Each structure stands twice: as C-alpha cells, then as structure tokens.
Amino acid sequence: MLRYIFKRVLQLIPLLLIISFIVFSLIYIAPFDAVDAITTPNMSQETIEILKAKHGLNEPFLTQYFYWLRQILSGDFGQSLVTQTSISEELLTRLPNTIRLILPAYLTALGLAIVLGLVAGANHHRKVDRLIDTICSIGIATPTFWFAMLMIYLVGYRLNWLPIIGMHTIGKEGQLFDYLQHFILPYFVLVVAFFPELTRYVRSSTLQQLSKDYVMVQKSFGASKKSIFMHHISRNVLIPIVTQIGLALPMLVTGAIITESIFGWPGVGPYLMSATKSLDYPVIMAVMLLSATLVILGNLLSDILYRLVDPRIKQGGEV
C-alpha cells in the first residue's frame, strides 16, 4: 500500500504543474489584467505602466508564470490587489470557517442519504420509495440560493427565531450558543442541498446489489430480507460510499460559495465572490489552484480508501 501511495504521489507532481499552468493561462488570457482592478480614470498611462512593471505584468508570459509558481511553491500566494493583504493569511483565516460549516453539513447529509437510500432500495416501487424519490427530485430541482433566501425570510425575518448574517454577533465572538444560532440556517440549507443526490446514489447502489447473484444464493438458503440487507447489501453499498468522502474533498473549499455569500459567513465563498467582482486575479488564481489541487488529492484519497475497505482490490488494480 505504501508503495502504491508513493507511486501515485509521484504521478501527481506533473499533473499539479499542468493544472497550475492552465490556471495561470486562463487568467492571463482574460480580457483585463490585474492592474485594471486598481486603476482609476484619472491615472495617466505612465502611472499605469509603472503599476504593471511593479506587478511584473510587462514580463513575458513564461517569466510571469515561473515567478508566480516559485511564489506558490514557497507557500506565498501573493497579495490581494484590492486590499493589499496576504492571500495566504486570508485563506488560513477563512478556510477553517468554511470547513466548520461544510463538513458537519456533508456528514449529516451523507448519514441521512445512507438511511433513506437503503430504505428506498429495500422498498423498490413501493410508496416509501416513491416518496423518497419525490423528495430527492424536489431537493435537486430547488436552487440553493432560493431556498436560502426563503429560510432567511421565514425563519430569520418573519419568525425572528435565528440570526441571518455572519458567524457571530458583534461582541459575542467567544460564545458557543451565539455561534450555534448563526450556524443552524446555513447548515440546514447545505444539508438540504447535499442529501438528495447522495440519496439517489445510495439508492442506485442498493438496487445494483439487489440484482447480484449472491442475493439470490442467500434467498435460496432461506435467509430473510432483513438479514441479507444487514449483513451483505449494506456492507457492499458502503464501499463506494466511502470513496465519495474522498471525492468530496474539494467541497471543503468551494462547496458553499453561494450559501456563504448569502448568509455572510466569513469563509472562502464571499472572499472569492468579492475578488471576482473586483478583478482581484491573484485571489482568484489562488482559490482556483487550491480547489483543483483538492480535486486531485480527493481522487487519490478515494482510491486509497477503496483499497482499504475492499481487500479484494490489489495494488495492481486487479480483483
């Protein structure tokens, strides 16, 4: 296993370099450059050229790329053009806030999806299955931003039960109860956003397992439906579900951009939205690169988890 992990990590290095090149290229060919975000109509062309020289925008494309890559490899994402603050420090402050919101919501949605998916699969074509499928269809069709604003209007404004903006009330930053009050609404919105597709996935995996030969063999030996589900189907369904945890890794950065922005949660979402509006390209590149890196690492984690939970999978990829 260690040899396999080491081999995969070595394969990731050129892939990460290619992704960094693509991210930088996309920003480079954008219709505006980074200096356009901080120029004003009163600036002379000479001043603009000085600003471009200061940020290295007069250099050739490859020179700019390698300079940026050297910064990234040293752990420095540069400075925001708008706020002139360190992007690395901002991300270190905002990332924990985003993870603190997304991780509990995703785990709750996953647990709910496992239960509902197994129940729906066990009662295929029955009322319970149709009810769960209808709920999932409504959940998938409902825009997250609309549901979030609906919760703000009903729970926050009309009923005035919970606060609707931020992560803390000013002056109550250290109080757990105040934090939980701010946490509930965005958490609930994310759970509703995550669980329908996960439930469909679990239901589909359950139906696939029901068609396997081993189920027929167990039935021929007189095993009850409950016993087959508890000891065989549920275990086999959980194997691909475990790999979903790895694939969900990028969501810890960009999985709640809309929800965080609507509720004013001080995470990566509002930071990226603000940078996009103000053409703050260094921030956009940093978040894009971080998200793409987590996609690759998520796939690696998914493969490792799959081999850990299913001993039939060998390191060479054979069963």
Side-chain angles (χ1 to χ4, degrees), residues 18-85:
I18 292 172
I19 288 178
S20 70
F21 184 81
I22 293 174
V23 168
F24 187 86
S25 300
L26 290 174
I27 297 299
Y28 184 83
I29 63 176
F32 302 99
D33 60 34
V35 170
D36 290 323
I38 54 177
T39 56
T40 65
N42 297 327
M43 284 186 179
S44 64
Q45 188 61 37
E46 182 182 357
T47 304
I48 294 175
E49 292 300 324
I50 292 174
L51 287 174
K52 287 185 176 182
K54 176 184 176 182
H55 294 283
L57 297 178
N58 287 334
E59 300 292 335
F61 168 74
L62 289 178
T63 303
Q64 292 185 42
Y65 167 70
F66 284 117
Y67 176 75
W68 175 72
L69 183 61
R70 186 178 64 182
Q71 275 190 312
I72 297 299
L73 293 176
S74 65
D76 181 14
F77 286 100
Q79 285 188 328
S80 165
L81 293 176
V82 177
T83 63
Q84 295 299 311
T85 56

Side-chain angles (χ1 to χ4, degrees), residues 7 68 192 260 295:
K7 182 180 178 181
W68 175 72
V192 172
E260 284 184 323
V295 170

Side-chain angles (χ1 to χ4, degrees), residues 223-243:
S224 64
K225 185 177 181 179
K226 180 179 179 181
S227 176
I228 295 174
F229 260 87
M230 291 293 294
H231 298 98
H232 301 282
I233 293 178
S234 59
R235 291 182 180 180
N236 290 326
V237 167
L238 288 176
I239 291 175
I241 292 175
V242 168
T243 64

Side-chain angles (χ1 to χ4, degrees), residues 42-271:
N42 297 327
M43 284 186 179
S44 64
Q45 188 61 37
E46 182 182 357
T47 304
I48 294 175
E49 292 300 324
I50 292 174
L51 287 174
K52 287 185 176 182
K54 176 184 176 182
H55 294 283
L57 297 178
N58 287 334
E59 300 292 335
F61 168 74
L62 289 178
T63 303
Q64 292 185 42
Y65 167 70
F66 284 117
Y67 176 75
W68 175 72
L69 183 61
R70 186 178 64 182
Q71 275 190 312
I72 297 299
L73 293 176
S74 65
D76 181 14
F77 286 100
Q79 285 188 328
S80 165
L81 293 176
V82 177
T83 63
Q84 295 299 311
T85 56
S86 170
I87 298 174
S88 300
E89 292 179 3
E90 282 284 348
L91 289 176
L92 286 175
T93 302
R94 292 175 176 273
L95 264 177
N97 295 337
T98 296
I99 294 173
R100 200 183 303 176
L101 175 63
I102 293 180
L103 188 60
Y106 185 81
L107 293 178
T108 303
L110 184 61
L112 186 62
I114 292 173
V115 174
L116 293 179
L118 288 172
V119 170
N123 297 275
H124 189 42
H125 290 318
R126 296 182 181 177
K127 290 183 178 179
V128 175
D129 180 34
R130 287 195 289 268
L131 176 61
I132 293 174
D133 188 58
T134 301
I135 294 173
C136 291
S137 298
I138 295 173
I140 293 173
T142 302
T144 303
F145 73 90
W146 179 84
F147 184 68
M149 290 189 290
L150 181 64
M151 289 295 99
I152 288 175
Y153 176 73
L154 293 177
V155 181
Y157 177 70
R158 296 286 295 186
L159 299 175
N160 197 26
W161 285 351
L162 295 169
I164 59 176
I165 296 295
M167 193 169 71
H168 294 287
T169 302
I170 297 176
K172 298 182 179 180
E173 285 77 6
Q175 297 185 14
L176 178 61
F177 182 71
D178 180 72
Y179 166 76
L180 292 176
Q181 284 184 310
H182 287 78
F183 172 79
I184 290 174
L185 274 183
Y187 162 80
F188 178 69
V189 169
L190 287 176
V191 170
V192 172
F194 292 154
F195 96 88
E197 291 188 5
L198 290 171
T199 302
R200 285 273 182 89
Y201 179 80
V202 176
R203 177 181 177 272
S204 176
S205 299
T206 303
L207 294 178
Q208 288 180 3
Q209 293 299 320
L210 283 171
S211 63
K212 299 290 186 181
D213 292 337
Y214 75 86
V215 176
M216 187 68 68
V217 172
Q218 291 295 322
K219 288 181 178 179
S220 65
F221 280 112
S224 64
K225 185 177 181 179
K226 180 179 179 181
S227 176
I228 295 174
F229 260 87
M230 291 293 294
H231 298 98
H232 301 282
I233 293 178
S234 59
R235 291 182 180 180
N236 290 326
V237 167
L238 288 176
I239 291 175
I241 292 175
V242 168
T243 64
Q244 289 293 309
I245 298 174
L247 296 176
L249 191 62
M251 295 174 58
L252 296 178
V253 175
T254 57
I257 293 177
I258 295 175
T259 303
E260 284 184 323
S261 300
I262 291 175
F263 286 98
W265 191 268
V268 177
Y271 188 50

